[in-house]
Amino acid sequence: MKKQEKQNNSKLKIIPLGGLEQIGMNITAFEYEDSIIVVDCGLAFPEDDMYGVDLVIPDVTYLKENIDRVKGFFITHGHEDHIGAIPYVLKDVNVPIYSTRLTNALIEHKLEEHDMLKKVKRKVVKYGQHINLGCFRVEFIRTNHSIQDAAALAIYSPAGIVLHTGDFKVDYTPVFGDAIDLQRFGEIGKKGVLALLCDSTNAERPGFTDSEKSVGKTLDNIFSEHKNTRIIIATFASNVDRVQQIINSADKFGRKVAIEGRSMVNIVSIASELGYISLPDNILIDVDQLKNYPDEKTVIITTGSQGESMAALSRMASGMHRKVTIKPNDTIVFSSHPIPGNEKSVTGVINELMRKGADVIFEDVHVSGHACKEDIKLIYSLVNPLYAIPVHGEYKHLIAQAKIAEELGYDSDHIKILSSGDVLEIDENGAEVTGHVPVGNVMVDGLGVGDVGNIVLRDRQRLAEDGIIIVVMTLENGTGQVLAGPDIVSRGFVYVRNSESLMDEAKTVLDKTMDYCMDHNITDWGKIKNEVKDALGDFVWKETKRRPMIMPIIMEV
Amino acid sequence: MKKQEKQNNSKLKIIPLGGLEQIGMNITAFEYEDSIIVVDCGLAFPEDDMYGVDLVIPDVTYLKENIDRVKGFFITHGHEDHIGAIPYVLKDVNVPIYSTRLTNALIEHKLEEHDMLKKVKRKVVKYGQHINLGCFRVEFIRTNHSIQDAAALAIYSPAGIVLHTGDFKVDYTPVFGDAIDLQRFGEIGKKGVLALLCDSTNAERPGFTDSEKSVGKTLDNIFSEHKNTRIIIATFASNVDRVQQIINSADKFGRKVAIEGRSMVNIVSIASELGYISLPDNILIDVDQLKNYPDEKTVIITTGSQGESMAALSRMASGMHRKVTIKPNDTIVFSSHPIPGNEKSVTGVINELMRKGADVIFEDVHVSGHACKEDIKLIYSLVNPLYAIPVHGEYKHLIAQAKIAEELGYDSDHIKILSSGDVLEIDENGAEVTGHVPVGNVMVDGLGVGDVGNIVLRDRQRLAEDGIIIVVMTLENGTGQVLAGPDIVSRGFVYVRNSESLMDEAKTVLDKTMDYCMDHNITDWGKIKNEVKDALGDFVWKETKRRPMIMPIIMEV
């Protein structure tokens, strides 16, 4: 950006770099003249057609190109879709990270795994604290969510105040800490807020979101009704309050608790070190010690509530867990709700557990961490922003929040539904999308970041669908005579032992094709390969109605 | 089965060959001495990890091996999970098919597509009619379901009466035809029923299932609230009553109706030929004619309510439909509920439609076709069977029905949860699983039936995950000297243009491996291939943490 342009540029720019077409990969840049700050830095989990991809991170080309203006990251809470891309993005955009205490601990854990802890500056921020960075001032405001220490951010810019809720719910009776700081929302609202960026996840759901504490009562009931069996409870590792409530029930009913699953063990250990969970003396036991207690005196808290195939509960269900074997009388509780897309795997695990004779409770032992319609209305009423900018959700969720804003009297000029990459220029006099910056999915597969792109994915899709047929031959240098082959090898196409005659016929087709090439003096390798692809492709389609990848390879001696 | 064995065999055998571990692939054999009859012959849709598989049909080895005793198929209704495997299974087990009129028409349509219409005997059966076949007598009883002409079957055997509900709901006010014949259920119940095989799909849901007619009212409301826009409604092609109600609403509000999507067009044409749908004069127009009418005077009824990528609505959403372009003011209605596993694709289509500005209504314009808890209790009370055998559902659904039976006073000896392949021998004195017959998934991919098995699937999964690296080389006959190569080609592994140095290093690894083989006189091709696989596999894992399929190919001249 050149100097002379800046003179006229006294608007705030809001640039979402992800998170608006999907649940996940939340990252938004706020830019005012020489200063850029970024809120959140999350990952997304791969879509079904992203074969072999482990996770997806945002394309931050825009931040890289403006690295000298980027002042810092502000992280609203410690969920993967808000912190997961930090180790990748900070490799290129290494600026300080500001977050609350637990969030910071989770970020540090992540940085350590990537051997980056010493390379990145971090700062723990308290609720109510203000951070000055460039021409921005950012205040952390207490909210509630399905992870502790969640914060909304009030971003004070010369163009006005923007309030970003992060992911939040309104919980008047939280398990740990205080309720969302509604007073401060109101106080800032009174000052006049330019724009509200508000969580849309539950904007389609009527009513209010229940308090996390209501799950505690449900858990007590389950414990009271299942006094004679072992209890195994699966939930989200990051929901420390849920784990706390399970431990409370266990304590009340005189049971020992074993924690199982890597991420669950990690988070419970971090949370207990920092004092975010309170553990009655000697209540925790190692999974190995379970055998020393009668079943009805134990509880296992485990990962796997989403049916993830490698998680502890799934391994128990399939009989592949080394230490825990499901017994016919176990009571197994899913204290969770399937995230969209996971319904079938969750059901699969439930079926497997039931088949082993377990009693499985999988409904109504969970509350959401996101604000429902009436909660969203409450926040709008307190903040009373000039502009409504729904964030965090798929398009239909953003639309649902836009409808709420409409109900509250906002006209369409004051509701801004953005797409990732949009540059929204905004001040008191107006808000419009004036440009677009590059955005996209950067796929992480193993150690590779971004080396799997659309071409590789398309190949994987095709290979997955119908497999591959490889045709190899050796030609004589100079004459082009076939010295060896053409030979056929296939993988993922047909079970060859049952399809010998098909493969024999395919070989005949190839021999004829090569005869044709010889007869017609076709010696160019590219042309020979095309003849092979066409002839074999047609034959295979006619015989099988399949389109395997056909890959001719020519060698020369 | 040998003659002498039969003397002692006076029990009825119930042998489910599919449908008990899943929704789909319903097929159950009933055997008494020399007679076998089969109820339903359905397909299942492939699981997510069945790459490239089009559909799945049951393994009917048991029927083939006992072909001389198999007397006929009785089909309860025309859904794919009850008729879809007929063209495949009847190739080997060609016996007559008995079904009601609409069901028969749908079966005939299917047979015609497979050029098998002339080869298979069919018989249309009326409600109340009895068919004698071997030592069985089978009566068709009227039920309600999300397709017309659904039937329960009373199977009279020398060992007693078995009642098979098929898929059903209790609809006191059906759109077409009469309500389920509860009187006959009661009458047969009074005679004494040995076993009830009852639909479990909704056994987890409390209360009663709403009448199909209630959707008509919802549709009227939608039409009345959207008088100024075009309306596009997606629903299940086979739900002719739903289509009828949409047409009724269209008629009431003076709109023309265009039908879109191949299966929708087929079924509406079959249903209207047979009189199962009543079309007001001139209400139907061709999709091409839509342009001749104002938007607010048209309705499009379309396939694609499950987000199927090639269905008409999905093509409209992605802008790939040749004849229908979504407009910003369209009202689009999903008169359906996502089948488990389809949630994400349905949401994807909703998001795309909303992004084009359409108003999308996707909740509460649907009722289920399956009986809920209280309906199931009603059927049990009318039939009062000696044994409860929950069918049609995943394991958790069967368990849910078992719990209902328990509530009604059945003890565990009189509730039989079967697995596919179980041979349940049953009479008034007892019921127990005495054996097991072969069952399984036969995968259909293109024209191939059963040629994709676990080996091919495993290869496809591996190819999908990390792609393939092919290593080719030409060796000299006799000496084993490398004349050409080793060369490397990869697909679905990395984007080669960005990974040139990786591929160069891999080539170096290969050259070293071949030098090692030469130096150590390793000339056996199998051993050379293993050396290549190991060396390259280790190198690739170290560099990328991926495990592509590695495929060495050696030629000789």
Side-chain angles (χ1 to χ4, degrees), chain B residues 383-449:
Chain B
V383 175
N384 192 29
L386 191 56
Y387 290 95
I389 306 178
V391 294
H392 200 266
E394 298 172 19
Y395 195 76
K396 69 190 191 111
H397 302 120
L398 308 183
I399 290 286
Q401 182 174 147
K403 284 189 178 161
I404 294 173
E406 270 172 34
E407 270 184 60
L408 295 171
Y410 285 79
D411 61 31
S412 60
D413 278 352
H414 289 80
I415 303 172
K416 295 291 167 187
I417 297 209
L418 301 180
S419 296
S420 295
D422 283 349
V423 178
L424 180 78
E425 291 202 51
I426 183 170
D427 67 7
E428 281 180 6
N429 303 315
E432 58 176 331
V433 173
T434 57
H436 201 80
V437 306
V439 284
N441 293 324
V442 176
M443 287 175 267
V444 179
D445 176 5
L447 297 180
V449 179

Side-chain angles (χ1 to χ4, degrees), chain B residues 329-369:
Chain B
N329 278 322
D330 286 341
T331 300
I332 301 174
V333 182
F334 283 74
S335 185
S336 58
H337 191 80
I339 293 169
N342 296 345
E343 294 85 352
K344 271 196 107 164
S345 17
V346 171
T347 303
V349 173
I350 292 172
N351 283 326
E352 271 185 306
L353 293 168
M354 285 190 168
R355 218 174 268 281
K356 291 196 152 56
D359 185 15
V360 186
I361 300 168
F362 53 89
E363 272 172 347
D364 304 325
V365 195
H366 182 63
V367 297
S368 172

Side-chain angles (χ1 to χ4, degrees), chain B residues 319-333:
Chain B
M320 284 168 63
H321 195 283
R322 286 181 304 122
K323 295 178 176 174
V324 181
T325 307
I326 300 299
K327 304 176 189 179
N329 278 322
D330 286 341
T331 300
I332 301 174
V333 182

Side-chain angles (χ1 to χ4, degrees), chain B residues 5 26 28 35 98 116 119 122 178-179 184 202 236 246 270 276 284 295 299 310 351 353 355 373 442 444 476 540 553:
Chain B
E5 279 180 41
N26 295 285
T28 308
S35 307
Y98 299 83
M116 283 181 61
K119 297 170 194 150
R122 298 145 339 250
D178 295 326
R184 187 61 186 152
N202 276 355
F236 301 96
I246 299 169
I270 291 172
Y276 284 79
L284 286 194
D295 282 350
V299 181
M310 295 312 295
N351 283 326
L353 293 168
R355 218 174 268 281
K373 276 189 180 171
V442 176
V444 179
E476 188 177 47
V540 163
I553 302 176

Side-chain angles (χ1 to χ4, degrees), chain B residues 11-25:
Chain B
K11 289 194 172 191
L12 171 68
K13 288 181 183 169
I14 301 179
I15 312 171
L17 299 173
L20 284 181
E21 285 79 22
Q22 64 201 119
I23 301 283
M25 216 166 86

Side-chain angles (χ1 to χ4, degrees), chain B residues 98-158:
Chain B
Y98 299 83
S99 64
T100 55
R101 195 152 155 261
L102 181 66
T103 308
N104 179 67
L106 294 171
I107 292 169
E108 289 189 347
H109 180 75
K110 195 164 274 296
L111 287 170
E112 204 155 26
E113 283 181 339
H114 284 76
D115 201 20
M116 283 181 61
L117 193 54
K118 291 189 178 147
K119 297 170 194 150
V120 175
K121 278 193 192 145
R122 298 145 339 250
K123 173 130 178 64
V124 173
V125 184
K126 289 196 177 124
Y127 293 128
Q129 200 175 333
H130 294 238
I131 307 294
N132 285 294
L133 223 52
C135 61
F136 289 103
R137 179 160 57 88
V138 179
E139 174 188 353
F140 281 65
I141 306 167
R142 182 191 294 276
T143 60
N144 304 121
H145 189 38
S146 46
I147 188 168
Q148 299 156 327
D149 261 15
L153 303 173
I155 300 168
Y156 301 83
S157 83

